[in-house]
Amino acid sequence: MVEFKSEAALAAMRESGRVVATALAAVERAAGVGVSLRELDEVAREVLREAGATSPFLGYRPAFAPVPFPAVICASVNDAVVHGIPTGYRLREGDLVSIDCGALLNGWAGDAAVSFTVGPPHPEDRRLIDTARRALEAGIAAAVVGNRTGDIAHAIGTVARGERYGLLEGYGGHGIGRRMHEDPHLPNEGRPGRGYPLKPGLVLAIEPMLIAGGTDTHTTDPDGWTLRTTDGTRAAHVEHTVAITSTGPRVLTLP
């Protein structure tokens, strides 16, 4: 069931979105050589605590998962695309890191992700991350009344495929509101004019997941959560929570 949000609900989601943005910025600032992924998780936990928010990630267990998710961020490094569990792994110069974070505040969720490198990026990593960001921007630009989810998917896919990157098969964005994952599902590739119609009050988490080697497939780590590229190439994941409004898309997870 798709829920359309009132202006009051969107204002509340903007507050949860700010918490997410603050947490992601704090994690990126803390992500230096020698810092562990668990330490980054603790940075995000502290931001949530200070804001009076809780994590929709912590304890989350969808049907595919063998265990509940044990952290408040997903920390995916290099060939890990999404859903990386923060471990004791210590960051190294040149690592490509994707951090996904959510917050629940006053009953409303926010969800966003960023990708960055530890230290100056290699040119190929910079291009991958920049393309992921451009794909996200294209998807947001297509999130207007009168379009459909297929128009967002087509915009994302056009940017990614234009640079010959892969898109993680079977995964994409989603509706969001009182829960982190709501209807409708939002693919990262599709045909324009197809899919669920975009109407005021619909809120979507738009999240391109690009694979450098051009493949779309993945493997799953023994932890049952971490998804990796099958060709061993690097991946980038970026995301914003975006409201469809009569005056255009409204990004709720900006600082």
Side-chain angles (χ1 to χ4, degrees):
M1 178 179 175
V2 175
E3 179 187 5
F4 295 92
K5 282 73 177 178
S6 66
E7 278 297 325
L10 295 183
M13 292 187 72
R14 180 70 181 101
E15 294 309 307
S16 61
R18 282 195 179 95
V19 175
V20 174
T22 300
L24 288 173
V27 168
E28 186 168 354
R29 285 194 303 270
V33 173
V35 176
S36 76
L37 300 182
R38 285 199 189 98
E39 289 169 333
L40 296 183
D41 185 66
E42 185 52 44
V43 168
R45 287 176 189 250
E46 182 59 27
V47 171
L48 295 181
R49 280 193 292 265
E50 289 182 357
T54 58
S55 170
F57 290 17
L58 185 63
Y60 180 59
R61 188 179 182 183
F64 68 79
V67 295
F69 196 77
V72 305
I73 61 170
C74 296
S76 306
V77 180
N78 297 332
D79 64 332
V81 190
V82 289
H83 301 167
I85 293 177
T87 65
Y89 175 83
R90 295 192 176 276
L91 294 173
R92 302 170 183 173
E93 185 81 13
D95 278 344
L96 195 165
V97 184
S98 296
I99 302 293
D100 193 356
C101 184
L104 283 169
L105 183 67
N106 297 322
W108 295 97
D111 188 10
V114 295
S115 287
F116 55 86
T117 60
V118 179
H122 297 296
E124 58 269 29
D125 289 340
R126 181 184 294 112
R127 188 170 76 90
L128 176 63
I129 294 170
D130 286 348
T131 303
R133 291 171 178 164
R134 287 197 296 111
L136 176 58
E137 290 167 0
I140 293 170
V144 296
V145 174
N147 275 355
R148 290 176 176 265
T149 51
D151 294 289
I152 298 175
H154 179 72
I156 292 170
T158 297
V159 173
R161 299 300 190 189
E163 297 293 338
R164 299 186 177 181
Y165 290 132
L167 289 162
L168 185 64
E169 187 175 24
Y171 287 83
H174 49 88
I176 182 172
R178 296 181 187 277
R179 294 176 292 110
M180 178 172 60
H181 289 138
E182 297 183 350
D183 292 332
H185 174 65
L186 178 60
N188 280 327
E189 190 169 33
R191 296 175 61 182
R194 301 293 183 91
Y196 195 85
L198 306 184
K199 300 176 183 179
L202 178 65
V203 184
L204 299 169
I206 303 175
E207 50 180 323
M209 307 164 200
L210 274 58
I211 296 172
T215 60
D216 297 348
T217 54
H218 69 272
T219 61
T220 304
D221 277 9
D223 63 25
W225 279 97
T226 308
L227 306 185
R228 295 188 184 275
T229 63
T230 54
D231 60 7
T233 61
R234 294 186 170 199
H237 172 212
V238 293
E239 177 182 16
H240 270 307
T241 296
V242 181
I244 313 300
T245 79
S246 59
T247 56
R250 185 185 306 170
V251 181
L252 303 179
T253 41
L254 291 172

